[in-house]
Amino acid sequence: MFNLILFGPPGSGKGTQSEKLISRYGLKHLSTGDLLRHEITRNTPLGQEAKSFMDKGSLVPDEVVISMIGSALDENQDAKGFLFDGFPRTSTQAEALDKLLELKKTPIAVMLALDVSEDELLKRLLIRGETSGRSDDTNEQVIRARIKEYHDKTLVVADYYRKFRKVVMVNGEGSVDNIFQRLCIEIDSRR
Ligand code: AP5
Ligand code: MG
């Protein structure tokens, strides 16, 4: 198994690159943002709870996303490996993920962290907001709140994996294909 975390601030390209990476390496894509939006579309109680946080650009409570990831891991016992996108996003989530993976005896191989300037993030998300229908892309204030959550609560997750020498910074600016090549070089050197 090969488990990888694609890390980075909102708009850094995690979703875009995940699609390409899962197709090249046959990994199971686990995006907590996508899972939560799916719950919102189905109007489940979990979705209703999550929506109130997501609309403001705040993180959803840890226990909600941890239990969602636990179920997703159980439902994909045959996966060749997992690509975690947008998870873990707090140190509590990182510790919980380690425990879940310990049970499966399959650790995180590497955290690839996309490095993108704040101006570029804002530009990308405002452009997407014109067409995406994502409530958290529609105004600059909410986008800035998401970036603030990243600085306040999520950046420490990289420190957590740095202790285990698992973090690799990757330049996340330039063309989608060039960034994909940079990510593949890092993965290929570790498989
Ligand atoms: P989530 O869905 O994870 O969103 P995010 O991390 O805020 O960021 P995005 O998904 O918008 O960006 P991305 O890095 O995937 O970039 P993308 O490829 O889309 O989370 C949403 C919310 O859910 C959170 O705010 C929180 O409330 C909740 N949540 C989710 N996970 C949680 C967790 N673990 N704990 C608690 N709460 C959680 O690209 C962005 C745009 O840029 C696209 O339009 C794309 O086409 C464009 N683009 C991509 N690459 C390039 C490039 N190289 N050049 C130019 N444009 C590009
Ligand atoms: Mg995404």
Side-chain angles (χ1 to χ4, degrees):
M1 258 191 145
F2 184 85
N3 303 313
L4 143 77
I5 297 173
L6 194 54
F7 187 76
S12 56
K14 301 183 296 293
T16 304
Q17 296 296 335
S18 289
E19 292 303 328
K20 295 171 75 71
L21 291 168
I22 56 165
S23 126
R24 172 163 301 187
Y25 296 104
L27 303 173
K28 174 70 188 168
H29 184 198
L30 292 183
S31 155
T32 40
D34 289 349
L35 291 169
L36 290 167
R37 279 183 290 277
H38 184 62
E39 296 287 335
I40 291 175
T41 306
R42 289 168 53 219
N43 203 20
T44 61
L46 194 159
Q48 287 168 7
E49 187 193 355
K51 188 173 182 344
S52 60
F53 293 95
M54 291 167 78
D55 284 350
K56 287 185 293 197
S58 309
L59 291 185
V60 171
D62 285 334
E63 56 276 18
V64 174
V65 283
I66 291 167
S67 96
M68 228 171 46
I69 285 287
S71 310
L73 291 175
D74 286 346
E75 284 161 17
N76 291 282
Q77 304 274 2
D78 299 334
K80 277 169 64 182
F82 294 97
L83 191 170
F84 297 96
D85 158 5
F87 180 88
R89 242 170 157 109
T90 63
S91 19
T92 305
Q93 292 178 24
E95 284 161 20
L97 178 61
D98 269 0
K99 290 208 181 88
L100 287 167
L101 292 178
E102 239 167 63
L103 293 174
K104 291 185 162 297
K105 303 207 182 328
T106 170
I108 292 294
V110 65
M111 169 188 267
L112 299 176
L114 291 167
D115 188 17
V116 177
S117 75
E118 198 155 318
D119 283 352
E120 173 72 11
L121 298 175
L122 262 176
K123 195 174 89 188
R124 288 184 188 177
L125 293 176
L126 284 168
I127 292 174
R128 185 175 64 187
E130 291 168 11
T131 53
S132 70
R134 262 180 69 165
S135 61
D136 58 350
D137 279 348
T138 42
N139 80 55
E140 189 171 329
Q141 209 184 335
V142 175
I143 294 174
R144 286 195 187 278
R146 285 159 64 196
I147 295 175
K148 184 169 186 314
E149 283 285 79
Y150 172 79
H151 284 287
D152 291 350
K153 299 177 185 160
T154 305
L155 257 181
V156 291
V157 174
D159 296 333
Y160 176 86
Y161 288 99
R162 222 167 254 129
K163 281 190 297 204
F164 306 104
R165 299 182 180 280
K166 289 190 175 171
V167 182
V168 178
M169 296 299 295
V170 175
N171 178 359
E173 295 194 15
S175 77
V176 168
D177 284 340
N178 280 345
I179 298 163
F180 179 60
Q181 289 312 320
R182 291 173 202 146
L183 294 169
C184 290
I185 288 170
E186 297 300 340
I187 293 171
D188 293 342
S189 71
R190 285 169 177 80
R191 285 174 89 224

